[in-house]
Amino acid sequence: MTLPRSYRIAVVAGDGTGPEVVREGLNVLEAVSKKTGFDVEVIPYDLGGERYLKTGETLPASVLGDLQGASAIYLGAIGHPGVKPGILEKGILLKIRFELDQYINLRPVKLYPGVWTPLKDKGPEEINFIVVRENTEGIYAGIGGTFKRGTSEEVALQVDVNTRKGVERCLRYAYELTRLRDAKKKLTLCAKTNVLTYAHDLWARVFEEVGKEYPEIVQDYSHVDALVMWMVKSPEVFDVIVTNNLFGDIITDLGAMIQGGLGIAAGGNIKPKGVSMFEPIGGSAPKYAGKGVINTLAAIVAVSKMLDHLGEREAAQAVEEAVKQVTASKLKTLAAGKMGYSTSEVGDLVVSALS
Ligand code: IPM
Ligand code: MN
């Protein structure tokens, strides 16, 4: 007798609309686990703005320790209007990424059937690429300081950290991914070598060097300013884009828009041989919280990405197919409050499309 495959999923529903979208994602997870035959144990963690306001805690060491023992982490959203910007983001979201060394932020930009895109004359054939964002260094490292703060002579420094190790592992991941994808076998480095002549020279050199091990992959380069232009004008030229933390943050919000908005965009914070975390990339959307109008599809796509990462390919595909059915034949639009269905109804539609 073989034991069923089983996973411990740490769930951080978080702030704002996080809990409502995560609830639907977990319903889908449960349904697909029964259908394809694996066990999931869901362990909820109460982290976020409310906890911080009550106790002053962001991510207690004991919780961090627990997260390290999970099969994967499923995150809703972090961000609270009552808490100064930076505290929860740095104290929870970035802390998990850094402490668990989730050095890749993987963000597919894929237009599903039936989904409206603001790009004229572009469809699912043209909008289907993936962004590999470095996720543990760059300007996000939090190194810097101020001098003469609050005076007219104030100096503020924020250091862009690029290490050989960090850059190389990110580029290697991107090359491997490009090799595995059944697509153009083209990897585009997005940087700014014409201005960041130290940091991005490192990226460019390592890109070329590691690329020698992948002769079947076409190496492509674009400055970030030009790249955002191409993302709008000719998204079909891209297969995999690899970039640093800050550029990746910015270009993936543009990516989310061309794939139909934050209602559908999901990503993974990946530690290849460790604990990864999956999330809808939109924020906590406080103005929609508790109203049952937010789109849960991004959170459901995040479940599909999580399953894929856990090696449950069949389940991952089943969830993605179910989402495609729902976008193709049910939802009027993907926008909050305009879907023609409530948050939980959208979750139910995906669950029924599974069977
Ligand atoms: C994201 C978010 C975060 C980031 C914020 C909330 C710190 O925008 O996941 O893209 O900048 O990485
Ligand atoms: Mn962002």
Side-chain angles (χ1 to χ4, degrees), residues 24-25 28 263-264 292-298 300 322-323 326-327 330-335 338-353:
E24 303 309 318
V28 171
I264 190 86
V293 298
I294 195 82
N295 193 342
T296 182
L297 288 179
I300 295 173
V323 169
V326 170
T327 61
K330 303 284 184 193
L331 297 199
K332 282 201 280 193
T333 83
L334 298 192
K338 297 182 185 144
M339 302 182 289
Y341 298 91
S342 69
T343 305
S344 64
E345 282 168 345
V346 172
D348 294 346
L349 285 172
V350 177
V351 170
S352 24

Side-chain angles (χ1 to χ4, degrees), residues 107 133 249 252-253:
R107 297 188 162 180
R133 165 184 172 189
D249 177 47
T252 55
D253 268 25

Side-chain angles (χ1 to χ4, degrees), residues 204-316:
R205 270 184 288 121
V206 182
F207 183 66
E208 205 171 301
E209 197 183 306
V210 176
K212 294 203 177 87
E213 296 168 38
Y214 298 86
E216 74 278 32
I217 292 171
V218 180
Q219 290 175 33
D220 179 40
Y221 174 82
S222 186
H223 293 320
V224 63
D225 46 352
L227 183 126
V228 289
M229 190 177 82
W230 293 117
M231 274 175 73
V232 171
K233 186 166 184 289
S234 315
E236 66 277 7
V237 302
F238 297 116
D239 177 5
V240 180
I241 297 172
V242 61
T243 192
N244 66 78
N245 210 341
L246 182 64
F247 290 179
D249 177 47
I250 299 167
I251 71 171
T252 55
D253 268 25
L254 175 58
M257 283 302 123
I258 69 174
Q259 71 177 121
L262 292 170
I264 190 86
N269 300 270
I270 312 286
K271 164 82 171 173
K273 293 194 179 87
V275 185
S276 298
M277 173 167 71
F278 298 83
E279 52 174 334
I281 80 174
S284 57
K287 74 172 179 184
Y288 295 122
K291 300 204 168 109
V293 298
I294 195 82
N295 193 342
T296 182
L297 288 179
I300 295 173
V301 175
V303 166
S304 166
K305 301 297 158 203
M306 177 166 76
L307 290 167
D308 191 61
H309 182 79
L310 292 169
E312 294 293 338
R313 300 270 136 72
E314 188 195 336

Side-chain angles (χ1 to χ4, degrees), residues 28-51:
V28 171
L29 179 62
E30 194 192 295
V32 79
S33 71
K34 293 207 177 100
K35 187 177 140 86
T36 53
F38 58 89
D39 287 342
V40 242
E41 185 191 347
V42 165
I43 310 142
Y45 291 92
D46 170 28
L47 301 175
E50 295 300 330
R51 177 167 182 168

